[in-house]
Amino acid sequence: DEMPGKVIGKCMGLRLGSSIAQKTSLGSDLKAVWNEYVKYAWLERTETPTGLAVHKYKQDCNNGEWTITSSACRINGSVYQTPEGDATCEECFILGSNQRFLSKVCNFIFQMDAARLLYFKMYDPEGVEDFEQKLRSSCNYLQRLKSLYEEIMALSQEELHLRVKQSWNGRTSSLQTAALDLFTSQWVRPCLDCEPGVSMKHQHLKGLLAYMAS
C-alpha cells in the first residue's frame, strides 16, 4: 500500500490502530508485544535524568488504543494525512519501527518471560513443557527474539537462575508500576530468594510444619 499524502498541519502522534501505523512494526507484527509491554512498563516519565525529552504515550480511555509521540516530534509541520483523519509526522512514524525502541520493548517482555520460565523450572517442573510451547507461539518469539528464547530454554536451572538474577537485581521499585511490582513479587522474588536446585515443595512443607508447630 502507498503512504498517505503529506500536508502542512499539526502532528497527532502515531495512533497504533490507524492505517498508517499498520505500516510500522508496532502497529502490525509486534502489536501484541506492545500490548503486553504497556501492562507493566513505566510510561509516565516526562524527561530523562539529564533533562532530555522522552517519547510520550497516551491511551484513549474509550477504545484502549495507544498513541505514541516521538521525542523528536516537531508538532507543527509536514504530516502524513490519512483518510480517517490521522496526522502523523515523519519522526513519529519512524518511531513505530525504530530498532532501538523496538529492542527496548521486546527485551522487556523477554526478561519477564525468562523469569516466568525460571519459576516453572524451580516450582512447577511438570509445567515447563507446556510453558515452553506457549513461548514458542508468542509474538515476541515468532517475530523478534526466537534465538534468545531458544537459548534460555536450553539453559540449566542454575544457568537460568544466574541470567534472571543479573537481569532483575538492582531494579528500583520507584520506577516500577504496581503491575510490575506484583509480577516481581509473584514470579521473580520467589526464585531469587532461593538457591536453584532446592526442592521447593519440600522447603514449603518444612515451613508449613514449622508454622503449625509454633
Side-chain angles (χ1 to χ4, degrees), residues 11-206:
C11 178
M12 301 165 59
L14 180 67
R15 183 172 62 87
L16 295 183
S18 66
S19 59
I20 189 172
Q22 293 174 9
K23 303 177 186 300
T24 71
S25 294
L26 280 186
S28 56
D29 54 336
L30 291 178
K31 193 170 185 179
V33 181
W34 170 261
N35 289 338
E36 183 74 4
Y37 174 78
V38 295
K39 293 178 183 177
Y40 299 96
W42 181 267
L43 302 176
E44 298 179 12
R45 285 199 310 174
T46 57
E47 61 181 30
T48 67
T50 57
L52 298 176
V54 296
H55 307 312
K56 295 180 175 61
Y57 317 95
K58 181 175 65 175
Q59 186 179 32
D60 189 319
C61 60
N62 294 316
N63 57 26
E65 281 191 352
W66 283 89
T67 297
I68 62 175
T69 303
S70 170
S71 60
C73 177
R74 298 180 181 177
I75 304 178
N76 295 304
S78 179
V79 296
Y80 294 108
Q81 184 77 55
T82 67
E84 60 264 38
D86 291 283
T88 305
C89 72
E90 187 73 24
E91 288 76 10
C92 291
F93 172 72
I94 290 174
L95 180 61
S97 296
N98 179 277
Q99 292 304 306
R100 183 176 179 181
F101 184 60
L102 295 181
S103 292
K104 175 184 176 181
V105 171
C106 293
N107 286 337
F108 183 95
I109 298 302
F110 172 74
Q111 299 300 342
M112 293 181 68
D113 284 337
R116 290 187 180 105
L117 178 60
L118 177 61
Y119 183 95
F120 274 99
K121 287 193 172 189
M122 293 181 68
Y123 282 82
D124 184 16
E126 294 85 2
V128 169
E129 184 176 351
D130 286 344
F131 182 67
E132 288 183 344
Q133 289 180 356
K134 181 178 178 181
L135 290 180
R136 288 190 173 100
S137 65
S138 70
C139 179
N140 211 20
Y141 176 97
L142 295 172
Q143 301 293 341
R144 189 78 180 178
L145 300 176
K146 177 180 179 179
S147 61
L148 286 180
Y149 276 99
E150 289 295 338
E151 180 182 326
I152 63 169
M153 284 188 272
L155 295 176
S156 67
Q157 186 182 128
E158 290 75 15
E159 291 169 331
L160 183 57
H161 186 276
L162 179 60
R163 179 78 70 89
V164 172
K165 183 177 182 179
Q166 291 172 338
S167 299
W168 287 87
N169 267 0
R171 295 197 182 199
T172 57
S173 59
S174 61
L175 296 179
Q176 290 189 172
T177 60
L180 190 58
D181 277 337
L182 181 60
F183 176 88
T184 302
S185 65
Q186 291 181 334
W187 294 92
V188 182
R189 290 262 60 91
C191 297
L192 299 191
D193 288 346
C194 298
E195 291 300 318
V198 176
S199 173
M200 294 294 105
K201 291 182 179 179
H202 177 65
Q203 193 173 78
H204 286 165
L205 179 60
K206 287 176 62 178

